Amino acid sequence: MSNHKIEPNQWIDLYSDYLFNYTISRVSDREKAQDLVQDTFLAGLKSMKNFKGEASERTWLISILKRKIIDHYRKSNSKKGKAEVRINYNDSESEGDWLEERVADPFDKTAQDSLENNELGDAIHKCLDKLPKKQAKVFKMKTILEYETEVICNDLNITASNLWVIIHRARTGMADCLKENWF
Amino acid sequence: MSKKNKIFIPCEEANHVCDKNQYKEASLLEMIKLNIHLIYCRVCRKYTANNTKLTKALKKSEVKHLDTSAKNNMKKDFDKALKELNN
C-alpha cells in the first residue's frame, strides 16, 4: 500500500505551480495565495511523520492546502467589520428583499463553465508533468507567465532560436497530450 | 537573416513563424509568408490549427503559476525550515 515516499526537497519544483493554481481559483489574490502555498509546504514539512503514503504527495499537500484556505476565510470573516458579507442595496426599500439575492448573476460564470475549466486545468497540468523538465520550464515561462523572449533567454542562458526550438517541441508535445486527454 | 527574402518558405520555417505567432511576435511579412505556405501545405495547415487550438485552450483554462522570483524566495525559506528540522 505505502509505495508513496515523501521527498520534501522536490516539493516546490513539482507541486508549487499546481497548488498555486488551485489556490488562486479560490482566493483570487496573488499574494495571499502565495502565502497560503508557502504555509502549506511548511505545515507539510512539520507533519511529515503523519504521511502514511496511502495517497500521493500531491493529494496529501492539497488536503493540507484546503484546510489552510478554509482557515484563511475564517480569519478574514472574524475580523471586525467584515463579520458578514453584505450585498449593497441601492435604496432602503429593497432591503431584506430576499428574492433579489436569488437571481443568478449574469456576469458570473456558470457552474458548468468553471467545472470544465477546472478539468481543463488538470489536464494541462498532467500534460506539463509529462514533458521533459526543460521544455516544461520554458513553456511555462513563455506561455503562462508570459515573459518576454529576451528575459527567458537571459534567465536560462540560451539563444533565441534555441528557445523557439524548445517551445516548438513543447507545443507539439502538449498538443498531442491534450488531444488524447481533452479535445 | 542571411537567407534571401523568399516568398515560399520551407515547412520548418513556417512552423517557426506559427509558433511565434502564438505569442504575437511574428512580423507582418512573416505572417504573409506563412499564409502563402499554408495555401499549398496541408501538414502545416493542420499544425497551425492544432497550435491555435492549444493557445485557446490555455487561455480559456486561465492556468496561473508562480513567477520565478517568488518561487525562489519560497525555496529559500523552505530550505531554511528543512535544515532546522534536520538539525
Side-chain angles (χ1 to χ4, degrees), chain A residues 13 34 53 62 74 80 86 93 123 131 134 149 176 182:
Chain A
D13 281 332
Q34 203 177 306
I62 283 282
R74 268 198 201 130
K80 241 186 183 174
R86 275 183 183 277
E93 265 178 43
L131 288 182
K134 181 147 194 196
T149 311
D176 285 347
W182 181 253

Side-chain angles (χ1 to χ4, degrees), chain B residues 29-80:
Chain B
L29 185 64
E30 281 174 323
M31 282 305 292
I32 293 168
K33 283 178 181 175
L34 170 66
N35 278 306
I36 290 171
H37 182 91
L38 290 181
I39 292 170
Y40 60 82
C41 182
R42 230 184 106 187
V43 183
C44 289
R45 259 205 308 272
K46 195 160 179 218
Y47 178 74
T48 307
N50 264 343
N51 219 350
T52 319
K53 220 168 165 185
L54 176 66
T55 307
K56 273 194 190 140
L58 285 167
K59 208 174 252 169
K60 198 181 143 214
S61 76
E62 289 167 14
V63 170
K64 289 192 181 83
H65 282 169
L66 283 166
D67 48 88
T68 331
S69 61
K71 217 189 253 182
N72 283 339
N73 280 338
M74 206 181 263
K75 249 184 205 165
K76 242 183 257 160
D77 288 347
F78 188 73
D79 282 343
K80 224 188 273 164

Side-chain angles (χ1 to χ4, degrees), chain A residues 8-9 13 16-17 21 30 34 38 45 109 117 120 124-125 142-145 147 149 164 168 171, chain B residues 16 19 23 25 47 51 54-55 57 60-65 67-68 70-71 74-75 77-78 82:
Chain A
N9 294 319
D13 281 332
S16 60
D17 286 331
N21 192 46
R30 273 196 94 90
Q34 203 177 306
Q38 172 89 312
L45 202 61
K109 273 188 202 159
N117 263 356
L120 179 58
I124 288 171
H125 278 286
K142 184 79 187 146
T143 316
I144 297 167
L145 297 172
Y147 284 158
T149 311
W164 285 112
H168 176 69
R171 290 195 82 92
Chain B
H16 172 55
D19 286 333
Y23 304 98
E25 285 180 29
Y47 178 74
N51 219 350
L54 176 66
T55 307
K60 198 181 143 214
S61 76
E62 289 167 14
V63 170
K64 289 192 181 83
H65 282 169
D67 48 88
T68 331
K71 217 189 253 182
M74 206 181 263
K75 249 184 205 165
D77 288 347
F78 188 73
L82 198 62

Side-chain angles (χ1 to χ4, degrees), chain A residues 105-167:
Chain A
D105 184 356
F107 300 108
D108 201 15
K109 273 188 202 159
T110 64
Q112 177 73 23
D113 260 1
S114 56
L115 194 67
E116 252 174 46
N117 263 356
N118 273 346
E119 282 174 11
L120 179 58
D122 281 350
I124 288 171
H125 278 286
K126 221 161 97 193
C127 290
L128 275 171
D129 283 346
K130 277 187 198 162
L131 288 182
K133 259 192 191 154
K134 181 147 194 196
Q135 280 179 31
K137 190 172 182 191
V138 176
F139 184 75
K140 274 185 205 166
M141 283 172 96
K142 184 79 187 146
T143 316
I144 297 167
L145 297 172
E146 292 173 344
Y147 284 158
E148 296 293 321
T149 311
E150 281 171 38
V151 178
I152 304 174
C153 287
N154 288 335
D155 237 36
L156 301 175
N157 229 340
I158 53 177
T159 64
S161 57
N162 211 329
L163 173 119
W164 285 112
V165 171
I166 295 172
I167 289 281

